[in-house]
């Protein structure tokens, strides 16, 4: 196992530990929700600031392992397989947390949008499985990477309760904050990239003679 793949594996382990921490803090230590940083008209919950920092660090390793793999010419099938899994664990599970963990005055993510994001990922995973059974490994596309960038921007914004945009859009109607529109753009990018990914790999569905 080369260094980029080790970084990817370490990210998966870190994500699992973060998810356990989220579960424990939200269900067994609810008093953590009482701790927040006041930013005038809105608050940033301390626990969300912690999760945001861990998320950003994990997101950086997603860039790092890919960069090192290309730079050192160490792109492997195992890395191509593990990297999308790490991305989906990080992003989908964090979005689920942002739906469940609702603190007073905290921006949240609409559950229907998260369902769309996860459904898209499940469909693409099924496509990868079919390709794998045929001996093919489908690498992430540019559109898929762009979708991931959108997600990695949207999630910290929600964790930080819309900071820095919340300084002037805090009083806007629910669902119409700037951060909400970033989430909407993320969902659109996700669905479009999924459709393009399927279109570019239609040959996977052809029956071999």
């Amino acid at each position: 196992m080369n260094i980029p793949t080790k970084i990817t594996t370490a990210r998966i382990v870190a994500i699992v530990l973060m998810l356990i921490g989220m579960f424990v803090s939200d269900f067994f230590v609810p008093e953590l929700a009482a701790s927040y940083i006041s930013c005038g008209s809105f608050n940033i919950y301390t626990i969300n600031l912690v999760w945001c920092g861990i998320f950003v660090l994990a997101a950086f390793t997603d860039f790092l392992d890919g960069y090192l793999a290309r730079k050192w010419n160490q792109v492997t099938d195992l890395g191509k397989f593990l990297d999308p899994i790490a991305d989906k664990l990080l992003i989908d599970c964090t979005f689920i947390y942002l739906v469940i963990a609702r603190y007073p005055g905290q921006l949240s993510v609409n559950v229907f949008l998260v369902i769309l994001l996860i459904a898209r990922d499940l469909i693409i995973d099924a496509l990868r499985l079919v390709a794998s059974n045929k001996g093919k490994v489908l690498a992430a596309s540019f559109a898929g990477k762009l979708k991931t960038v959108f997600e990695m921007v949207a999630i910290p914004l929600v964790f930080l309760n819309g900071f820095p945009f919340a300084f002037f859009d805090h009083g806007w109607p629910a669902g119409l904050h700037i951060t909400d529109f970033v989430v909407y753009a993320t969902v659109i990018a996700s669905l479009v990239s999924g459709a393009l990914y399927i279109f570019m790999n239609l040959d996977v569905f052809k029956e071999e003679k």
Side-chain angles (χ1 to χ4, degrees):
M1 184 182 295
N2 57 38
I3 292 178
T5 304
K6 288 180 179 178
I7 293 175
T8 304
T9 304
R11 182 163 80 255
I12 293 175
V13 174
I15 293 167
V16 172
L17 293 177
M18 182 181 74
L19 294 174
I20 294 173
M22 286 176 168
F23 175 80
V24 171
S25 65
D26 201 54
F27 289 96
F28 296 102
V29 195
E31 57 270 18
L32 288 175
S35 175
Y36 58 82
I37 299 172
S38 178
C39 296
S41 58
F42 69 100
N43 302 319
I44 298 177
Y45 286 92
T46 306
I47 191 64
N48 280 352
L49 191 61
V50 173
W51 301 140
C52 181
I54 296 175
F55 177 88
V56 170
L57 181 60
F60 173 73
T61 66
D62 177 51
F63 159 78
L64 182 63
D65 59 11
Y67 171 77
L68 293 179
R70 291 187 296 271
K71 181 179 179 180
W72 295 341
N73 194 27
Q74 294 183 351
V75 177
T76 63
D77 285 346
L78 179 60
K80 292 179 181 179
F81 175 76
L82 290 178
D83 190 62
I85 292 176
D87 288 346
K88 289 175 177 59
L89 271 177
L90 176 64
I91 293 169
D92 291 346
C93 292
T94 304
F95 267 126
I96 292 173
Y97 171 79
L98 291 173
V99 169
I100 297 173
R102 296 176 179 268
Y103 301 143
Q106 169 69 36
L107 290 177
S108 60
V109 180
N110 185 283
V111 64
F112 178 70
L113 298 180
V114 175
I115 290 173
L116 285 177
L117 289 171
I118 294 176
R120 178 268 187 199
D121 286 345
L122 288 175
I123 292 171
I124 298 303
D125 286 344
L127 178 62
R128 289 179 182 276
L129 180 60
V130 172
S132 177
N133 289 336
K134 294 184 177 182
K136 300 178 181 178
V137 177
L138 304 183
S141 65
F142 173 78
K145 287 292 185 181
L146 185 62
K147 178 268 300 187
T148 301
V149 170
F150 269 100
E151 291 171 326
M152 290 182 175
V153 170
I155 288 174
L157 284 175
V158 178
F159 269 132
L160 298 178
N161 209 10
F163 175 86
F165 305 116
F167 282 114
F168 58 88
D169 72 358
H170 180 69
W172 294 8
L176 296 178
H177 297 86
I178 293 175
T179 296
D180 292 320
F181 284 103
V182 174
V183 174
Y184 302 151
T186 299
V187 175
I188 293 172
S190 178
L191 296 178
V192 170
S193 69
L196 289 174
Y197 198 80
I198 293 173
F199 178 76
M200 290 186 298
N201 294 285
L202 286 176
D203 60 305
V204 170
F205 298 104
K206 293 181 180 179
E207 294 294 335
E208 297 180 357
K209 297 181 180 180

